[in-house]
């Protein structure tokens, strides 16, 4: 393992992080150029995308300099992948609504700040373990606030409004969930620790069901399975948990018919293409019309449909950039999980290993729910596509999750001079 790691470090030096970021900046420049000249007419508005590109590129390279010069980190591959995904999503959103784009860009900056803070905080595992109870209580309070003050949008009671800003508090609890789960089970597993984590998980998932946010509830449940399995290595735990979850789902569908109503159109979207199946039918048609290389950024139809840049983002990508680019972007998110599993085998403690794998697994499972949901393979759950979908809370959260993976890489806490 050590030999493999040093060979990987040597290969990473051969492809310098700055060169990778340059390629990402060049790719985004191609998208911006296509967006600016989509109408093939000279207009002052065509300057706006280039201004956006300049601001975003400055943020990327400023972040790079801070990482390499101030924090003296030897690697930047993970951050480059995150910036590639975030930038592509921001540019697609800009082609639809500039106000959403400004918010997405601002929240990405908050996400980068959270990323840096978490890496510093995660450096000391003992400190994390000491704060796990505070983090758990804070997460429960966030859910309580959500249940009391949130308003229902699209059947899900998951939005807190503060003036013009809308927050999804459950996105921030995702980070707390991994914190609590990994720090609680980081040491030798005891009945008390396991019981505490199960209770905390039940409160989180139960709150999400009360909020009717079934997609996020599924994400939390799968993350619970990942953390429990990586700590215990027991398939019995997985089978028992899935059996209990299956029984609970059956009881909910039996006694809460309005829940079943939400999934009634699954596999039957073509039976009612003008009403209940409208969104998915349009996504399927438009994605197919995009072909391999897309109809061109800003020229798609999906962005005009409700939630076109959030819950239906993969459809927008497939339509405007093409199925090929859609596959590349999804594989980029999968690559984050592969990276997490790779670096976790060399981590300094089981905390980093479990946290990285849980964060990577959460991102991949959420991506699967999004892509398979809008293509009608599974029921539509309305979750966002990590890094790419419009949503400030989601953007901040995914950069927080990325910090768990970064912290697991032992190169993170080695300075470039060491």
């Amino acid at each position: 393992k050590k030999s493999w790691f040093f060979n990987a470090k040597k290969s990473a030096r051969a492809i310098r992080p700055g060169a990778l970021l340059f390629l990402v900046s060049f790719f985004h420049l191609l998208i911006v150029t296509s967006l600016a000249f989509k109408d093939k007419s000279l207009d002052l508005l065509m300057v706006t995308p280039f201004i956006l590109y300049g601001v975003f590129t400055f943020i990327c390279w400023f972040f790079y300099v801070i990482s390499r010069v101030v924090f003296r980190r030897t690697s930047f591959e993970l951050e480059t992948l995150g910036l590639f995904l975030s930038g592509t999503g921001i540019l697609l959103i800009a082609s639809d609504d500039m106000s959403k784009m400004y918010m997405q860009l601002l929240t990405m900056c908050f996400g980068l700040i959270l990323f840096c803070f978490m890496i510093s905080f995660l450096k000391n595992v003992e400190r994390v373990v000491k704060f796990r109870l505070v983090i758990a209580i804070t997460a429960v309070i966030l859910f309580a606030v959500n249940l009391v003050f949130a308003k229902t949008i699209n059947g899900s009671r998951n939005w807190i409004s503060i003036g013009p800003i809308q927050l999804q508090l459950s996105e921030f609890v995702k980070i707390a969930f991994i914190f609590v789960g990994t720090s609680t089970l980081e040491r030798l597993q005891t009945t008390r620790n396991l019981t505490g984590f199960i209770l905390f998980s039940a409160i989180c998932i139960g709150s999400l069901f009360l909020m009717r946010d079934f997609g996020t509830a599924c994400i939390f449940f799968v993350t619970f399975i990942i953390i429990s399995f990586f700590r215990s290595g027991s398939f019995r735990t997985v089978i028992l948990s899935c059996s209990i979850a299956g029984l609970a789902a059956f009881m909910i569908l039996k006694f809460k018919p309005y829940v079943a109503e939400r999934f009634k159109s699954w596999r039957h979207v073509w039976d009612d293409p003008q009403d209940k199946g409208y969104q998915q039918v349009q996504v399927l048609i438009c994605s197919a019309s995009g072909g391999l290389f897309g109809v061109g950024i800003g020229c798609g139809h999906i962005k005009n449909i409700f939630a076109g840049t959030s819950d239906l983002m993969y459809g927008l990508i497939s339509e405007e950039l093409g199925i090929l680019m859609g596959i590349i972007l999804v594989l980029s998110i999968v690559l984050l999980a592969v990276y997490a599993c790779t670096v976790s085998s060399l981590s300094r403690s089981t905390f980093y290993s479990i946290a990285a794998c849980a964060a990577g697994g959460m991102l991949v499972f959420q991506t699967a729910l999004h892509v398979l949901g809008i293509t009608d393979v599974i029921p539509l759950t309305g979750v966002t596509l990590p890094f790419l979908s419009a949503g400030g809370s989601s953007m901040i959260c995914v950069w927080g999750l990325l910090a768990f993976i970064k912290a697991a890489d032992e190169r993170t806490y080695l300075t470039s001079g060491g």
Side-chain angles (χ1 to χ4, degrees), residues 238-252:
V238 175
I239 294 171
L240 179 62
S241 299
C242 290
S243 299
I244 295 173
L247 178 61
F250 173 78
M251 297 296 288
I252 289 171

Side-chain angles (χ1 to χ4, degrees), residues 6 18 38 61 118 122 151 162 193 206 209 215-216 229 237 296 314 354 385:
F6 287 120
K38 69 175 182 177
W61 284 96
M118 283 183 58
L122 290 168
K151 61 180 181 180
I162 304 175
N193 283 354
F209 267 93
T216 306
F229 176 74
T237 302
Y314 182 73
I354 298 172
L385 185 60

Side-chain angles (χ1 to χ4, degrees), residues 121 124-134 179 182-184 186-187 351:
F121 182 74
N124 188 333
V125 177
E126 294 297 327
R127 176 173 55 200
V128 175
V129 173
K130 288 179 181 178
F131 274 89
R132 71 180 186 274
L133 183 59
V134 174
F179 261 125
T182 50
S183 59
T184 300
E186 190 269 336
R187 299 182 181 278
F351 171 84

Side-chain angles (χ1 to χ4, degrees), residues 132 184-185 188-199:
R132 71 180 186 274
T184 300
L185 302 182
L188 290 176
Q189 190 164 304
T190 64
T191 302
R192 180 181 177 183
N193 283 354
L194 184 59
T195 302
F197 181 46
I198 291 174
L199 179 61

Side-chain angles (χ1 to χ4, degrees), residues 83-389:
L83 292 170
F84 164 63
L85 292 166
S86 299
T88 304
I90 288 171
L91 293 174
L92 281 168
I93 293 167
S95 69
D96 172 47
D97 188 332
M98 294 299 289
S99 62
K100 287 183 182 178
M101 177 277 300
Y102 291 131
M103 181 58 68
Q104 198 76 352
L105 188 61
L106 178 62
T107 51
M108 189 195 78
C109 293
F110 286 132
L112 295 179
I113 294 171
L114 176 64
F115 176 83
C116 295
F117 170 78
M118 283 183 58
I119 290 175
S120 176
F121 182 74
L122 290 168
K123 186 175 184 179
N124 188 333
V125 177
E126 294 297 327
R127 176 173 55 200
V128 175
V129 173
K130 288 179 181 178
F131 274 89
R132 71 180 186 274
L133 183 59
V134 174
I135 295 171
I137 293 173
T138 302
V140 173
I141 291 173
L142 288 178
F143 272 132
V145 169
N146 200 106
L147 289 170
V148 174
F149 297 105
K151 61 180 181 180
T152 301
I153 298 179
N154 250 7
S156 179
R157 191 179 180 183
N158 198 20
W159 298 89
I160 295 288
S161 296
I162 304 175
I165 300 173
Q166 289 187 329
L167 298 174
Q168 275 189 297
L169 298 182
S170 59
E171 292 292 330
F172 303 107
V173 180
K174 288 178 182 176
I175 299 172
F177 190 80
I178 295 178
F179 261 125
V180 175
T182 50
S183 59
T184 300
L185 302 182
E186 190 269 336
R187 299 182 181 278
L188 290 176
Q189 190 164 304
T190 64
T191 302
R192 180 181 177 183
N193 283 354
L194 184 59
T195 302
F197 181 46
I198 291 174
L199 179 61
F200 176 69
S201 301
I203 292 172
C204 291
I205 296 172
S207 298
L208 288 166
F209 267 93
L210 291 174
M211 292 154 51
R212 302 185 187 181
D213 191 350
F214 306 114
T216 306
C218 290
I219 293 170
F220 272 68
F221 176 72
V222 169
T223 307
F224 166 79
I225 294 294
I226 293 172
I227 294 173
S228 300
F229 176 74
F230 271 90
R231 192 61 189 96
S232 66
S234 171
F235 281 102
R236 289 183 298 177
T237 302
V238 175
I239 294 171
L240 179 62
S241 299
C242 290
S243 299
I244 295 173
L247 178 61
F250 173 78
M251 297 296 288
I252 289 171
L253 293 174
K254 181 73 174 177
F255 297 103
K256 298 289 185 180
Y258 65 83
V259 175
E261 188 68 24
R262 291 192 64 182
F263 304 117
K264 194 174 181 179
S265 63
W266 175 48
R267 308 298 295 168
H268 298 284
V269 294
W270 293 97
D271 296 343
D272 192 5
Q274 297 302 321
D275 189 13
K276 293 183 179 178
Y278 179 76
Q279 281 183 307
Q280 287 161 295
V281 166
Q282 292 300 312
V283 167
L284 294 172
I285 293 174
C286 294
S287 297
S289 69
L292 283 178
F293 303 106
V295 298
I297 186 168
C299 301
H301 170 69
I302 292 180
K303 63 177 180 289
N304 299 319
I305 302 172
F306 177 75
T309 57
S310 54
D311 298 350
L312 308 178
M313 188 60 170
Y314 182 73
L316 179 62
I317 292 168
S318 299
E319 182 187 21
E320 296 195 354
L321 299 181
I323 295 291
L324 185 60
M325 181 53 65
I327 293 173
I328 290 173
L329 292 171
V330 168
L331 289 179
S332 297
I333 298 175
V334 173
L335 185 60
L336 294 176
V338 173
Y339 186 101
C341 293
T342 302
V343 299
S344 66
S345 63
L346 299 169
S347 296
R348 295 179 296 157
S349 100
T350 54
F351 171 84
Y352 295 112
S353 299
I354 298 172
C357 291
M362 179 180 281
L363 290 171
V364 169
F365 183 71
Q366 181 170 331
T367 300
L369 282 181
H370 178 93
V371 175
L372 298 179
I374 64 173
T375 52
D376 203 33
V377 176
I378 63 175
L380 181 64
T381 55
V383 299
T384 55
L385 185 60
F387 294 98
L388 294 153
S389 289

